Amino acid sequence: MKVYTKTGDQGTTSLIGGERVFKTDERVEAYGSVDELAAFTALLTDKIRHDGRFEEEVRELNVISSRLMSVEAILAKGKEGAEKVAPLSQEVITWLEERIDRMQAQLPAIDKFTIPGGHEAVSMSHVCRTVCRRAERAALRADQQWGVDPSAMMFLNRLSDYFYVLGRLLTLRLEVEETLWIP
């Protein structure tokens, strides 16, 4: 099978179910932003993969990468494709919340915002956080026009929190200074 189909040369693409839409459609923008997040998540995973201090986080990020593909599919559903894609279960959301709580329990309390930086992995975690927030906004716009399963928005909302807390955990374990924003 060839990678290129030429069917998108006029600015359209297919959603799950076969519906053709413009590549500027809110659903395409939303799943494209999640796809970008998946790529950055892979880059973050690669940055910490060979550091034994982060074996558990690498496993988590691998699970998250798979779930991001599920979110993309949810966002890519056309009118005829709804039955082909299952929503995320509440257990998926709970799993993510448990991971956030586990990491947060290891961190010192702060009452200010953190400024990203100090190490490539820390910065990449914050890139993932900000791309995730953009993907969430895109998903919300798609939801306003077309309706999106709420599980996708819940997952993206929790996931940005996950990346924030992961950035703080990486800062701690990599023994780099956590810079707090002091206006």
Side-chain angles (χ1 to χ4, degrees), residues 82-96:
E83 71 285 349
K84 295 181 180 183
V85 180
L88 297 173
S89 68
Q90 181 57 45
E91 289 78 23
V92 169
I93 307 302
T94 301
W95 176 87
L96 198 51

Side-chain angles (χ1 to χ4, degrees), residues 22 24-31 138-139 141-143 145-146:
F22 282 103
T24 56
D25 186 286
E26 289 86 356
R27 294 166 289 186
V28 177
E29 180 65 33
Y31 74 69
R141 285 190 299 275
D143 181 50
Q145 184 162 357
W146 303 101

Side-chain angles (χ1 to χ4, degrees), residues 72-83:
E72 286 182 60
I74 290 168
L75 294 168
K77 291 190 295 191
K79 294 174 190 166
E80 303 299 319
E83 71 285 349

Side-chain angles (χ1 to χ4, degrees), residues 111-182:
D111 61 357
K112 299 187 176 16
F113 290 107
T114 57
I115 297 175
H119 190 279
E120 282 184 336
V122 174
S123 296
M124 185 54 60
S125 189
H126 286 283
V127 168
C128 290
R129 174 184 57 81
T130 59
V131 172
C132 188
R133 286 286 188 213
R134 180 166 36 86
E136 180 185 13
R137 290 189 303 270
L140 288 167
R141 285 190 299 275
D143 181 50
Q144 288 174 341
Q145 184 162 357
W146 303 101
V148 171
D149 188 282
S151 66
M153 264 89 66
M154 288 173 61
F155 184 77
L156 291 172
N157 188 30
R158 297 304 185 287
L159 186 58
S160 61
D161 295 334
Y162 174 91
F163 284 122
Y164 173 75
V165 175
L166 178 60
R168 292 199 64 221
L169 183 72
L170 292 171
T171 299
L172 178 73
R173 289 202 195 146
L174 291 166
E175 300 176 359
V176 294
E177 183 179 349
E178 181 172 49
T179 304
L180 300 179
W181 179 56
I182 303 171

Side-chain angles (χ1 to χ4, degrees), residues 5-85:
T5 62
K6 301 182 184 180
T7 59
D9 290 351
Q10 302 304 311
T12 63
T13 190
S14 290
L15 298 176
I16 294 174
E19 178 184 352
R20 300 280 312 164
V21 298
F22 282 103
K23 293 178 181 180
T24 56
D25 186 286
E26 289 86 356
R27 294 166 289 186
V28 177
E29 180 65 33
Y31 74 69
S33 293
V34 174
D35 192 30
E36 181 182 358
L37 173 59
F40 278 123
T41 300
L43 184 58
L44 171 59
T45 306
D46 289 343
K47 288 196 177 296
I48 64 172
R49 182 177 310 283
H50 301 294
D51 187 327
R53 294 174 287 184
F54 303 113
E55 290 176 5
E56 186 170 355
E57 289 75 20
V58 167
R59 282 192 299 275
E60 290 173 3
L61 289 167
N62 288 331
V63 170
I64 287 167
S65 292
S66 178
R67 291 186 176 149
L68 285 171
M69 293 292 290
S70 297
V71 171
E72 286 182 60
I74 290 168
L75 294 168
K77 291 190 295 191
K79 294 174 190 166
E80 303 299 319
E83 71 285 349
K84 295 181 180 183
V85 180

